[in-house]
Amino acid sequence: MRKEVDKNSDEKLYKQVENILLELINEEPYSKGFYLPNELELMKRLNVSRHTVRKAMDSLVLRGLIIREKGRGTKVNLDRKKVKTTLNSWHSFTDEMFSQGSELKHINKKIVMEDFPDEIKDIFGLDRNKEYNGPVLYRESGINDSIDIYFQSYFNPGINLDKDEDFINGSFTKLYDYLEKNYGIFTVVSDEEVTAMMPTEELKEILDINDKIPVLCRKRLVYDKFGQKIEYNIGYYRADRFVYNISLKREV
């Protein structure tokens, strides 16, 4: 593994660290499931901040290449390999549906103040051992009157949405329009992961499906124009009603 990053390079530090870690996880013993050096060790080896290391590792977690095990460490995910794609454009899901001639209806929406799971605390840099009661947005949506998608959204505590009564009361239609108008936050980048899964009992009830209908799980980490994490969204889609299509453009 290279010992440090090039701070004179135009490439962002966290991307350099991410590329270094990509090399590392393909080398033994890490490629066979050996635990990676922890954040403090990587800070010292690469001469970067803990924030930079964590951002690089968060990206690899979202891509499904590494997994965090509570109380043990981080290691290569031996169970699956995922491909991350960079899209040329990105929209809210409501706008995506509208552009395809369909109107997405938010049938049920609620915001609950609750402690974030450890996975979410890691993403936003919160202490796992401390309780954080933040707003979690739950939405049940569909193309017609049926519930076809179930969303869960967690937000960066630095936005202070927990003190925004209008937000907590759900006084908005489009989430990103609300963030732009009230907080000057412009979401411009989305790191995504899509997997297929069999439905849990909760999802079968919400989406009104049986054991034979799989679910597409779409995890989305949204950044603003300054590279700050704004939202972590998990969407569960009925696979019999949605196809996730990706178009890539090669620059020549």
Side-chain angles (χ1 to χ4, degrees):
M1 182 177 73
R2 284 179 280 162
K3 293 185 177 180
E4 60 183 47
V5 299
D6 181 3
K7 295 186 177 180
N8 295 318
S9 172
D10 292 333
E11 186 178 28
K12 292 183 178 180
L13 290 179
Y14 87 91
K15 290 300 296 183
Q16 292 187 54
V17 174
E18 184 178 336
N19 289 331
I20 291 171
L21 291 175
L22 280 172
E23 295 177 9
L24 185 66
I25 64 177
N26 285 301
E27 298 173 356
E28 293 187 6
Y30 306 111
S31 62
K32 296 186 178 297
F34 194 82
Y35 287 98
L36 297 170
N38 62 37
E39 290 180 359
L40 291 176
E41 292 174 0
L42 290 170
M43 282 172 54
K44 294 177 182 178
R45 288 193 195 185
L46 302 175
N47 191 27
V48 294
S49 69
R50 188 166 191 169
H51 171 76
T52 298
V53 171
R54 181 167 293 170
K55 187 171 182 178
M57 297 188 81
D58 285 347
S59 178
L60 296 182
V61 169
L62 280 173
R63 293 168 65 178
L65 298 177
I66 61 175
I67 53 176
R68 291 187 173 103
E69 294 185 349
K70 186 175 181 179
R72 303 187 69 180
T74 304
K75 65 179 183 178
V76 172
N77 184 358
L78 300 177
D79 294 331
R80 57 182 179 173
K81 297 287 184 180
K82 294 188 177 66
V83 177
K84 179 183 176 182
T85 59
T86 301
L87 304 184
N88 294 315
S89 61
W90 172 80
H91 310 276
S92 73
F93 190 69
T94 302
D95 291 337
E96 286 178 338
M97 292 296 96
F98 183 77
S99 68
Q100 297 175 38
S102 299
E103 181 182 357
L104 183 70
K105 296 180 180 179
H106 296 304
I107 299 168
N108 295 310
K109 177 175 67 176
K110 67 177 180 179
I111 297 174
V112 180
M113 301 295 291
E114 59 185 48
D115 189 23
F116 284 4
D118 285 346
E119 176 190 5
I120 309 302
K121 287 181 178 178
D122 288 343
I123 289 172
F124 290 119
L126 300 173
D127 188 340
R128 286 189 174 196
N129 297 317
K130 294 182 180 179
E131 184 174 334
Y132 170 74
N133 285 313
V136 182
L137 171 61
Y138 294 93
R139 288 175 292 174
E140 298 171 355
S141 306
I143 303 302
N144 296 310
D145 292 324
S146 62
I147 297 174
D148 303 316
I149 318 112
Y150 176 52
F151 294 107
Q152 301 173 4
S153 289
Y154 302 84
F155 302 93
N156 190 323
I159 305 174
N160 293 320
L161 289 173
D162 56 325
K163 299 179 176 62
D164 186 337
E165 291 187 7
D166 287 337
F167 179 82
I168 293 173
N169 292 330
S171 303
F172 59 89
T173 302
K174 291 186 177 182
L175 171 64
Y176 300 130
D177 287 351
Y178 183 86
L179 293 177
E180 288 181 14
K181 180 179 179 181
N182 293 277
Y183 292 90
I185 293 174
F186 292 85
T187 53
V188 296
V189 176
S190 171
D191 285 341
E192 302 198 9
E193 168 189 305
V194 180
T195 57
M197 59 178 283
M198 298 310 297
T200 62
E201 291 299 321
E202 179 186 22
L203 290 175
K204 284 192 288 185
E205 181 177 351
I206 293 173
L207 299 176
D208 190 24
I209 55 178
N210 57 40
D211 292 323
K212 297 181 180 179
I213 298 178
V215 172
L216 292 177
C217 177
R218 181 186 189 185
K219 296 181 179 180
R220 169 184 278 189
L221 181 57
V222 178
Y223 298 85
D224 67 8
K225 60 183 179 180
F226 302 108
Q228 297 296 313
K229 298 171 187 174
I230 301 300
E231 175 203 17
Y232 184 69
N233 173 273
I234 307 172
Y236 299 98
Y237 302 72
R238 287 187 55 151
D240 60 334
R241 295 181 181 173
F242 287 92
V243 174
Y244 190 68
N245 185 56
I246 297 175
S247 296
L248 300 177
K249 180 180 179 181
R250 181 186 176 200
E251 298 293 340
V252 294

